[in-house]
Amino acid sequence: MANNILDERQCSISGVDQKGRGVACEKESVSGAVSQRACVYCGARVVLNPITDAYHIVHGPIGCASYTWDIRGSLTSGSETYRNSYSTDLRETDIVFGGAGKLTKAIDELAEKASPKLIFVYATCIVGVIGDDIEAVCRSAEERHGIRVVPVKAPGFSGTKTQGYKLACDAIMQLMLPHSGQPKQFGVNILGDYNLAGEMWIIKGYLEAIGIPVISTIAGDSSYGKLIRAPGAALNLVQCAGSSEYLAERMDGELGIPYIKVSFFGVEDTVASILRVADALGDPVLSANARDFAAKRTAEAMPFIEKYRPKLEGKRAAIFVGGGYKAISLIRQFNELGMKTVVVGTQTGKKDEYETIGALADKDTVILDDANPAELEQFMLEKHADILVGGVKERPLAYKLGIPFCDHNHERKHPLAGFEGIENFISEINLSINSPVWGYVRGCEEIG
Amino acid sequence: MSENLVNLNVNPCKMCMPMGAATALYGIRGCMSILHGSQGCATYIRRHMATHFNEPIDIASSSLTEQGTVFGGEANLLKGISNLIKLYRPEVIGVCTTCLAETIGEDVGAIIGKFHEQNPGLDVKIIRVASPGYGGTQNEGFFAALRAVAGQVEPDREPNGKINIVTPMVSPADMRWLKAFLGGMGLDAIFLPDLSDNLDGVTEKTYQRLKTGGTSLGEISKMAGAKLTVEFSEHAKPDESPAVFLHETYGVPFVRLPLPMGVRGMDSFVEVLRRHGGTVSHDLIKERGRYLDAMVDGHKYCAKARAAVFGDPDFVTAAVRLCCENGIVPVIAATGSVCPTLKAAVREEMDACAEISFVENTRILEDCDFDAIEKYCAELGVNLLIGSSDSRRISRKLGIPLIRCAFPIHDHVGGQRVRTLGFEGSLNILDQAANAMLDRTEARFRGDLYDRFYKGDAAFGEEGIG
Ligand code: SF4
Ligand code: SF4
């Protein structure tokens, strides 16, 4: 019989009574454990990808570009450039003789034919090893063409996805800093929302309805022109803290923009966030507007929730998502539905997030960082999960185990944030949990 | 590379070697793969495969860190292999290199040797595959893995009268067909690889983390004593080809055939099998007859099609021939692989087919991207796409129907069940092509003809008689 939990993994799993304390996290993955995590490059790409008019050049062999080509559901109101894949497609000879020349030519050609305003150059694993000086290449290209060419040195081996988030935030700072002198305006930036299925638009709509202008968004439906407006905002709202809290901190320190953390998943978090944003701006009129808005939308949402609750109450949920903030919101969302979270894990959650998770979850909830398929399998079965909320790779595993599934990933095509998202979320949970297929599947060996 | 931007690959028509290698290894019984490199490659490849096959895909990584990259990844790989064994209890482990491992010059053979030394008596066969992503596409990686498996098992040269069947990446459903087909001809065959169960699994009461299908190493060792190897590839280079290896090393005769698609593809396959003791059943004769019947039924609609065919070289070659047999003019034959032999394989018949309808311009592209394919689709008036779902945006943008029949299919379910081989598989493509043309005509002809010929009704004035 195969073992389900490797010794090195024990410390990243917290079972009964430990309440999330002591879940070892923010570590590199264990070799051979079949981690669900991607890499540094992936983290950087997640954050920068939604900048719609940027040319994202992946400097390296083709795979890294190929596997990340147009896989995300970030929507645009402008350019479609970001949906294309550009790669220097390094070959054997480039590995031997270096790829910097090819990269230079590629940028020159792009600058000439496509008149870009902004190019990101991602260095993937082997570029770090063969020693291409991409910083020098980018710097001289900026001078030659008078456009921004920003290097993102993101070799996969240089850390985890979290390191990639950081690199992306640094790249964004590089773009914003030259525009730090602009006059302050009343309004906020939305950080850490990638406009998946239009979610940023939904949130922006709420803020504007209350009377709060949105100056810039990072990086959902952003563009070079929109991005450099960000230093003028009065407040930053940080949605996905895992990826963007670092940026918020830098903007606070260097641009003098304070930030608050928000989340727009589920009624509780959405309402709390709306109120906190308004309060943070210190205008009683806005706070009153926010309260009215939240009350009205909550009242509108309740009949829907009440209608579905009887079909979901008492069911057990397992959660495995990218970051901690999402997991926290999901636990609350399940609570709102009368569901119990029995397993909760993230790819790259942080220490304080795991503590919050521990405080929210039940005593016997299994909490785990950087889980692998074997662990997910064991705990979902052991805890009799009725549904898994997760990413693309987890879906077929859930299905094979006979467990319904809710897609909470970057590829989805329907919003899960805000009041609109609540309805989508609940109806997706219902249609998977209560699908007739399970009745047949569970009797799968009863033929003849 | 792109034709608009010659120094960039824009929208790749390929993936990388370790993906192909890991896919091929899924066709070996009891096998798990570990990619020697950093974490991302394995995860991306798993995601890419999972959305096509709709199966849990578990591929390990040695998860190299900065340290490992600088000082060598031996410790990581050793640890990775033992962890993989603890979690999955595999009988076989494929260690596939990535760009990183090859670039830092890892001696994987020596590391495996060390592993065995440290773990004497452990019953697991470890196979090493050199698959740097920069060395080729998934197609080359697939063959590299097959060649490595064939070369690294203990041969059993005892003549066994079996036939070896070596395939490039084909769907699990096609693989099931192939197995049944050989059985139907009364032949005993060894399949390298056999993806049929492992990448298109069943729902069972108890989930098996280590998949239970595939060809066992015991069977594979018998390939050395087979009476013939049939290898469905015209493009794999001799040093990538398991058939050539088995011939040169163990004297197993071989034929290399195109994938069994279309009449000629099927006929040449059946002929080879017949010569080697296969019997042609009444059912097969009828099936062939039905296929011919269908060709006639569809030929006038197919003749309207101007197709772009893209994917791995052997798929493209076979699909182009199927098109030509049916009067579908393949105006673009394209592969993302570096494949100098593609031109010779399809040029002549593409020209002959084009000539019937006075189509003057056709393109054969190797080492190309979707940017180039898109450009020529627009220029050459393509009205049918045959290949993977990576062309879905071209399909939308240019309004061209797409027959999804090659890896990867990410926007539909059922990638694992796509049929392209045999008469039935061929018919699947053929019917879709004919129907796409019928739909196109149906959607347009009333409006087109109205616009073109209806000039109002002069006798009754502008409004007509209402
Ligand atoms: S191209 Fe190389 S580095 Fe990129 S995913 Fe493939 S193996 Fe990994
Ligand atoms: S090569 Fe490196 S950067 Fe590219 S996918 Fe693999 S780990 Fe990530």
Side-chain angles (χ1 to χ4, degrees):
Chain A
M1 185 49 204
N3 185 339
N4 288 330
I5 297 161
L6 299 169
D7 296 342
E8 304 94 308
R9 293 271 321 136
Q10 299 280 3
C11 59
S12 294
I13 302 167
S14 131
V16 186
D17 242 0
Q18 288 167 294
K19 303 227 74 185
R21 270 186 292 280
V23 176
C25 56
E26 302 177 68
K27 303 198 310 171
E28 319 218 288
S29 299
V30 174
S31 318
V34 194
S35 161
Q36 306 291 90
R37 279 185 189 159
C39 61
V40 179
Y41 158 67
C42 170
R45 189 70 196 255
V46 166
V47 175
L48 298 175
N49 191 61
I51 304 175
T52 59
D53 63 350
Y55 286 76
H56 300 265
I57 299 181
V58 182
H59 183 42
I62 198 66
C64 329
S66 191
Y67 304 127
T68 48
W69 170 30
D70 198 30
I71 59 171
R72 296 176 184 282
S74 299
L75 301 190
T76 172
S77 60
S79 173
E80 295 261 343
T81 301
Y82 72 116
R83 296 187 59 200
N84 295 310
S85 160
Y86 300 90
S87 171
T88 46
D89 189 4
L90 297 183
R91 309 290 170 91
E92 195 121 26
T93 46
D94 304 313
I95 308 303
V96 178
F97 299 109
K102 201 170 184 180
L103 176 62
T104 304
K105 278 196 229 146
I107 297 172
D108 288 350
E109 198 184 8
L110 203 57
E112 201 178 293
K113 292 195 179 157
S115 0
K117 289 194 200 86
L118 170 60
I119 298 174
F120 289 111
V121 176
Y122 302 84
T124 60
C125 279
I126 59 159
V127 169
V129 178
I130 62 177
D132 287 356
D133 186 351
I134 72 157
E135 270 161 356
V137 169
C138 291
R139 212 178 312 118
S140 79
E142 285 201 329
E143 284 162 16
R144 258 196 321 285
H145 303 294
I147 56 170
R148 294 311 309 264
V149 184
V150 181
V152 184
K153 288 167 74 177
F157 58 76
S158 60
T160 65
K161 206 167 160 183
T162 312
Q163 172 68 13
Y165 295 146
K166 209 167 154 239
L167 292 169
C169 295
D170 287 333
I172 290 171
M173 279 307 281
Q174 251 192 72
L175 293 171
M176 289 190 311
L177 281 176
H179 305 274
S180 58
Q182 59 190 294
K184 290 279 173 204
Q185 320 173 35
F186 175 69
V188 300
N189 297 320
I190 303 176
L191 272 53
D193 187 304
Y194 303 113
N195 202 29
L196 302 173
E199 285 176 348
M200 187 278 289
W201 293 334
I202 292 175
I203 308 308
K204 186 166 176 260
Y206 295 173
L207 296 173
E208 285 167 355
I210 294 164
I212 303 169
V214 174
I215 310 292
S216 188
T217 54
I218 301 171
D221 191 24
S222 188
S223 64
Y224 179 62
K226 291 187 202 167
L227 207 62
I228 59 177
R229 291 203 308 246
L235 178 69
N236 278 335
L237 314 183
V238 182
Q239 163 113 274
C240 172
S243 64
S244 298
E245 191 169 8
Y246 169 77
L247 176 65
E249 267 160 20
R250 278 199 68 183
M251 289 176 79
D252 190 359
E254 294 163 55
L255 300 169
I257 306 176
Y259 73 90
I260 58 170
K261 290 201 237 174
V262 292
S263 168
F264 290 92
F265 292 119
V267 179
E268 193 183 330
D269 280 3
T270 302
V271 168
S273 295
I274 290 172
L275 299 182
R276 283 192 23 251
V277 175
D279 291 345
L281 288 166
D283 177 344
V285 177
L286 290 179
S287 297
N289 289 353
R291 270 193 301 280
D292 291 348
F293 180 85
K296 179 165 171 281
R297 295 299 303 259
T298 305
E300 283 167 9
M302 282 334 271
F304 188 91
I305 297 172
E306 290 313 320
K307 186 168 98 188
Y308 278 78
R309 189 199 296 274
K311 291 188 183 299
L312 302 175
E313 220 156 22
K315 303 275 188 202
R316 293 168 300 265
I319 298 170
F320 189 73
V321 290
Y325 101 100
K326 213 197 268 179
I328 293 168
S329 282
L330 279 166
I331 299 174
R332 291 205 183 105
Q333 240 177 315
F334 283 125
N335 286 345
E336 282 165 12
L337 293 168
M339 291 174 64
K340 178 175 155 64
T341 301
V342 289
V343 179
V344 51
T346 81
Q347 284 180 22
T348 53
K350 295 177 179 162
K351 200 161 180 310
D352 59 322
E353 291 169 335
Y354 278 112
E355 276 166 14
T356 311
I357 289 172
L360 276 173
D362 278 353
K363 255 188 172 176
D364 54 350
T365 299
V366 176
I367 302 172
L368 65 184
D369 179 65
D370 189 18
N372 62 18
E375 292 158 8
L376 290 173
E377 176 195 333
Q378 162 163 341
F379 293 120
M380 286 197 296
L381 293 178
E382 210 176 280
K383 295 284 171 185
H384 304 287
D386 293 307
I387 190 156
L388 171 67
V389 185
V392 179
K393 288 185 304 299
E394 288 81 52
R395 182 173 51 210
L397 175 64
Y399 287 172
K400 273 286 184 291
L401 297 172
I403 297 173
F405 186 78
C406 171
D407 279 287
H408 214 305
N409 51 49
H410 280 212
E411 299 180 27
R412 64 196 149 77
K413 295 173 176 67
H414 54 277
L416 295 176
F419 294 99
E420 290 80 352
I422 290 162
E423 295 197 359
N424 287 333
F425 179 74
I426 294 172
S427 64
E428 183 174 348
I429 301 267
N430 174 57
L431 64 81
S432 191
I433 283 196
N434 293 316
S435 165
V437 301
W438 305 115
Y440 301 94
V441 166
R442 283 169 194 144
C444 63
E445 278 162 9
E446 286 163 15
I447 196 170
Chain B
M1 301 303 260
S2 164
E3 306 232 338
N4 298 319
L5 297 162
V6 296
N7 293 296
L8 281 169
N9 177 305
V10 183
N11 300 340
C13 183
K14 60 175 172 179
M15 291 132 279
C16 65
M17 269 185 104
M19 204 213 71
T23 308
L25 292 171
Y26 257 102
I28 308 301
R29 176 160 304 175
C31 182
M32 285 296 298
S33 303
I34 178 163
L35 306 191
H36 190 27
S38 32
Q39 179 61 48
C41 314
T43 300
Y44 277 136
I45 287 168
R46 290 174 60 204
R47 184 212 150 267
H48 221 71
M49 290 174 66
T51 43
H52 173 86
F53 292 107
N54 302 292
E55 283 291 317
I57 303 291
D58 292 3
I59 299 170
S61 168
S62 59
S63 309
L64 282 187
T65 57
E66 195 101 48
Q67 268 251 322
T69 304
V70 179
F71 301 109
E74 180 181 295
N76 279 67
L77 185 53
L78 290 173
K79 169 114 267 184
I81 293 173
S82 37
N83 280 341
L84 193 58
I85 292 173
K86 281 185 205 142
L87 287 174
Y88 291 84
R89 298 263 172 257
E91 294 154 36
V92 187
I93 292 178
V95 178
C96 310
T97 54
T98 62
C99 295
L100 185 60
E102 295 283 343
T103 307
I104 61 175
E106 291 284 281
D107 185 348
V108 174
I111 301 174
I112 293 173
K114 190 154 186 188
F115 181 83
H116 284 305
E117 231 168 73
Q118 291 175 352
N119 300 276
L122 202 61
D123 194 18
V124 59
K125 173 77 186 172
I126 305 180
I127 289 168
R128 55 182 194 285
V129 184
S131 48
Y134 55 71
T137 71
Q138 70 285 355
N139 180 58
E140 287 82 65
F142 195 90
F143 275 98
L146 298 185
R147 174 72 177 68
V149 171
Q152 292 173 45
V153 293
E154 284 302 314
D156 176 354
R157 303 184 66 169
E158 184 71 29
N160 52 41
K162 294 184 187 231
I163 294 181
N164 301 326
I165 302 281
V166 179
T167 59
M169 197 206 274
V170 300
S171 79
D174 273 339
M175 197 67 219
R176 280 197 291 278
W177 166 79
L178 196 54
K179 286 166 72 177
F181 189 74
L182 268 285
M185 289 195 73
L187 294 167
D188 199 358
I190 303 172
F191 297 88
L192 182 69
D194 173 6
L195 306 170
S196 56
D197 288 333
N198 291 353
L199 289 177
D200 188 10
V202 296
T203 283
E204 284 172 310
K205 263 219 162 84
T206 322
Y207 170 63
Q208 310 277 347
R209 196 181 307 155
L210 180 69
K211 315 246 169 167
T212 53
T215 306
S216 69
L217 284 194
E219 275 290 288
I220 291 168
S221 62
K222 293 200 180 95
M223 292 179 86
K227 64 178 174 188
L228 175 75
T229 302
V230 175
E231 183 170 272
F232 290 116
S233 177
E234 295 165 85
H235 298 291
K237 291 179 208 74
D239 62 339
E240 299 168 341
S241 155
V244 171
F245 168 80
L246 291 165
H247 175 66
E248 284 176 354
T249 323
Y250 311 118
V252 182
F254 71 97
V255 286
R256 298 182 78 188
L257 293 176
L259 280 164
M261 287 165 71
V263 185
R264 288 170 299 165
M266 272 303 282
D267 284 359
S268 55
F269 181 37
V270 170
E271 178 53 24
V272 166
L273 295 183
R274 215 183 39 75
R275 264 193 279 127
H276 289 84
T279 49
V280 174
S281 68
H282 186 60
D283 280 352
L284 177 57
I285 294 169
K286 271 181 98 170
E287 213 188 313
R288 184 175 188 277
R290 253 194 306 273
Y291 181 72
L292 295 175
D293 205 57
M295 286 173 74
V296 175
D297 291 344
H299 78 281
K300 287 203 291 177
Y301 316 119
C302 285
K304 295 259 164 46
R306 305 289 176 265
V309 182
F310 42 86
D312 289 346
D314 290 303
F315 165 77
V316 171
T317 304
V320 161
R321 291 195 186 128
L322 182 145
C323 287
C324 290
E325 288 174 357
N326 289 285
I328 297 168
V329 186
V331 290
I332 298 173
T335 181
S337 286
V338 174
C339 183
T341 47
L342 180 63
K343 228 170 221 153
V346 294
R347 177 83 278 170
E348 214 173 293
E349 63 181 287
M350 273 171 76
D351 287 348
C353 183
E355 199 267 334
I356 300 169
S357 313
F358 302 96
V359 172
E360 280 173 6
N361 215 344
T362 63
R363 289 275 168 173
I364 298 165
L365 309 167
E366 52 145 341
D367 195 5
C368 76
D369 56 16
F370 276 106
D371 196 42
I373 294 171
E374 180 173 343
K375 175 178 157 199
Y376 289 118
C377 279
E379 266 177 44
L380 303 178
V382 164
N383 60 16
L384 185 65
L385 298 166
I386 300 176
S388 75
S389 78
D390 281 344
S391 64
R392 70 193 184 283
R393 286 176 61 206
I394 300 179
S395 169
R396 292 232 122 193
K397 189 164 154 194
L398 304 179
I400 308 173
L402 162 62
I403 301 176
R404 288 167 179 80
C405 57
F407 183 90
I409 298 171
H410 284 161
D411 61 346
H412 278 187
V413 292
Q416 72 275 45
R417 290 187 297 273
V418 163
R419 288 293 318 276
T420 63
L421 303 186
F423 290 120
E424 235 180 87
S426 303
L427 205 49
N428 171 38
I429 297 181
L430 196 54
D431 281 349
Q432 287 192 64
N435 288 334
M437 294 305 115
L438 281 167
D439 285 346
R440 191 168 176 269
T441 306
E442 177 64 29
R444 298 179 179 191
F445 84 101
R446 288 173 199 278
D448 282 356
L449 296 177
Y450 176 90
D451 291 344
R452 187 155 169 218
F453 297 121
Y454 183 70
K455 305 289 182 225
D457 213 335
F460 295 94
E462 269 301 297
E463 283 87 44
I465 51 176

